[in-house]
Amino acid sequence: MAKLKGRNQVLKPEPPDEEPLNIETITWGGLTWVNIVNPTERETEYLAEQYHFHPLALDDCLSRKQLPKLDVYPGYLFFVFHFPIYDKQTRISNKRQWSAFIGEDYLVTLHTGELRTLNALFRDCQANEETREEYFVNGSGFLLYRLLDRTIDSYFPVLDKIMSLIEDIEDDVFDEEREATKELSILRRDIITQRAVMFPTRTVFIEMENKLKRFRKTDVTTYYNDLMDHMNKICETLDEVQEIIEVFKDADYTLATNRINRVTKILTIFSAILLPFLIVASLYGMNVVLPGGLEGGDLGTFIVLMVIMTAMAAGMLFYFRRRRWI
C-alpha cells in the first residue's frame, strides 16, 4: 500500500459564488439600456471591462458630492444629474445624484433607486413592446431625452405643493394669532435646496442639446426646446417663490416687532401710571411721622391721598393721549 505523503494536509474550501451584479438591461433595435441601482465598485469594474469608460468618470458615479456636469469623451458622453427628493419628516428636500453614459448604441444609467420616475420608465420599457419601440427607435439621444422629460414633468407637482404652502403661510403671516416663523424657515430652506439642484441642472441642459446630435437618428431639436422651456419655467417659478418668501419673512419680522412694541408700550404706560402710587407708598413707608400717618391719621387724609394719586394718574393719561402715545 502506498504511503500518503504530506500528512495533516488542510483542504482549502472553494470560494463561495459571488452575488450577481446589480445590472439590468433592455435591448431593442440595436440599442441597449443598462440600468444599475445602487452601484458599487463591482458594477463599475464591469462597465470598465465592457465599455472601457474612463476611471475618473466611474469614480464620479460612486461619489455623492459631484456637481451636475457634462464630460465629453471619445465615443461617448458622461452626465451627472441631481434631482430633489422630498423628506416628509423634515419637510425639506435632499438632492440625489444619478449618472448616465451615452454612446452610439447604448445608454447606461446609475442611481440610488429613489428616482421613481426613472424606475417606472425602465419597468414600462421592460413590460411593453410599444413603449420600447417608441423610446428606442430614434437612438440613445432620444431615449435620454424621454427619460429627462418624464423626470422634469414629475417635478411640477412639487412646484404646485410649494405654491400651496406659500398661500397657507401668507395667511399665517398676517394672522396675529398664528406663529409663522418656523414654517417660513422650513419652506425657505427647502426652496434654497430646490434652487441648488435645478439651476445647475439647467446649465447642463443648455450644453446637452448640441452634444447629443450625433447620438440620435432624427432631429429632436423641438423636443429639447420644449424640455428647456420646462426647465426655464421651473427656475423662474423658484425665483418667484424665493422673492415671495423673502417678502413674507420681512413682513413677519416687522409684524412681530410691532406686536412686541405694542406690548412694551402698554406695560410702560401701566408702569408710569403706577409711579405716583409707588412714590406715595414709599414716603409713608419711611420710619418717620408724616401727616396722615398711623399716629395721627384719619379717613379724610386717606381720601385726600387717593384723590391726589388718581388726579396724577389721570393727568398722565391725558398727557399720553395728547402726545398720541396711546
Side-chain angles (χ1 to χ4, degrees), residues 84-179:
I85 301 296
Y86 185 74
D87 189 338
K88 293 182 179 180
Q89 294 182 348
T90 62
R91 294 185 292 168
I92 296 174
S93 297
N94 298 310
K95 60 183 178 181
R96 293 291 184 268
Q97 176 179 310
W98 65 283
S99 309
F101 294 90
I102 183 170
E104 189 69 31
D105 57 355
Y106 62 82
L107 173 65
V108 180
T109 54
L110 305 94
H111 55 98
T112 61
E114 296 175 278
L115 297 176
R116 291 180 294 179
T117 303
L118 195 155
N119 293 328
L121 179 58
F122 188 84
R123 299 305 172 202
D124 192 14
C125 290
Q126 278 185 322
N128 298 315
E129 177 71 19
E130 295 180 356
T131 305
R132 289 196 296 272
E133 181 178 0
E134 177 185 358
Y135 289 177
F136 282 60
V137 69
N138 290 319
S140 57
F142 184 75
L143 176 59
L144 179 61
Y145 155 75
R146 296 307 300 259
L147 196 159
L148 294 173
D149 183 57
R150 290 187 59 168
T151 302
I152 294 302
D153 287 344
S154 69
Y155 183 77
F156 282 98
V158 177
L159 282 183
D160 294 338
K161 180 64 175 178
I162 291 176
M163 297 303 294
S164 176
L165 292 175
I166 288 287
E167 294 177 359
D168 295 339
I169 286 179
E170 181 179 6
D171 296 334
D172 294 341
V173 167
F174 296 99
D175 189 343
E176 295 187 0
E177 297 182 357
R178 300 181 183 178
E179 181 62 40

Side-chain angles (χ1 to χ4, degrees), residues 18-25 35-47 49-50:
E18 293 185 355
E19 296 182 0
L21 295 174
N22 191 22
I23 298 176
E24 296 180 294
T25 61
N35 186 48
I36 302 177
V37 180
N38 293 319
T40 63
E41 291 185 0
R42 295 179 60 229
E43 282 76 22
T44 56
E45 290 173 358
Y46 168 83
L47 294 177
E49 294 175 0
Q50 296 296 321

Side-chain angles (χ1 to χ4, degrees), residues 47-249:
L47 294 177
E49 294 175 0
Q50 296 296 321
Y51 296 95
H52 307 290
F53 293 144
H54 197 281
L56 293 179
L58 294 172
D59 289 341
D60 290 343
C61 295
L62 300 179
S63 174
R64 291 294 177 263
K65 297 181 180 180
Q66 297 297 319
L67 295 175
K69 65 177 182 176
L70 164 59
D71 291 338
V72 180
Y73 293 95
Y76 66 91
L77 302 176
F78 173 63
F79 296 91
V80 174
F81 298 107
H82 286 169
F83 197 78
I85 301 296
Y86 185 74
D87 189 338
K88 293 182 179 180
Q89 294 182 348
T90 62
R91 294 185 292 168
I92 296 174
S93 297
N94 298 310
K95 60 183 178 181
R96 293 291 184 268
Q97 176 179 310
W98 65 283
S99 309
F101 294 90
I102 183 170
E104 189 69 31
D105 57 355
Y106 62 82
L107 173 65
V108 180
T109 54
L110 305 94
H111 55 98
T112 61
E114 296 175 278
L115 297 176
R116 291 180 294 179
T117 303
L118 195 155
N119 293 328
L121 179 58
F122 188 84
R123 299 305 172 202
D124 192 14
C125 290
Q126 278 185 322
N128 298 315
E129 177 71 19
E130 295 180 356
T131 305
R132 289 196 296 272
E133 181 178 0
E134 177 185 358
Y135 289 177
F136 282 60
V137 69
N138 290 319
S140 57
F142 184 75
L143 176 59
L144 179 61
Y145 155 75
R146 296 307 300 259
L147 196 159
L148 294 173
D149 183 57
R150 290 187 59 168
T151 302
I152 294 302
D153 287 344
S154 69
Y155 183 77
F156 282 98
V158 177
L159 282 183
D160 294 338
K161 180 64 175 178
I162 291 176
M163 297 303 294
S164 176
L165 292 175
I166 288 287
E167 294 177 359
D168 295 339
I169 286 179
E170 181 179 6
D171 296 334
D172 294 341
V173 167
F174 296 99
D175 189 343
E176 295 187 0
E177 297 182 357
R178 300 181 183 178
E179 181 62 40
T181 304
K182 181 178 180 180
E183 297 299 325
L184 273 172
S185 301
I186 293 175
L187 184 57
R188 185 166 178 259
R189 182 180 173 188
D190 187 44
I191 292 173
I192 291 173
T193 303
Q194 305 282 353
R195 287 170 54 84
V197 172
M198 304 311 294
F199 276 76
T201 301
R202 180 174 63 172
T203 303
V204 174
F205 282 8
I206 294 174
E207 302 178 19
M208 180 175 60
E209 198 274 330
N210 291 327
K211 300 291 176 53
L212 286 177
K213 288 183 178 179
R214 57 181 173 144
F215 298 124
R216 61 199 188 202
K217 298 179 181 179
T218 60
D219 184 13
V220 293
T221 302
T222 304
Y223 293 98
Y224 275 95
N225 289 339
D226 180 69
L227 184 64
M228 283 305 304
D229 288 341
H230 289 175
M231 281 299 301
N232 289 332
K233 182 178 180 181
I234 289 172
C235 293
E236 290 172 2
T237 303
L238 289 175
D239 277 337
E240 179 183 351
V241 297
Q242 185 183 35
E243 293 178 1
I244 293 173
I245 206 69
E246 293 297 331
V247 171
F248 286 169
K249 181 176 70 70

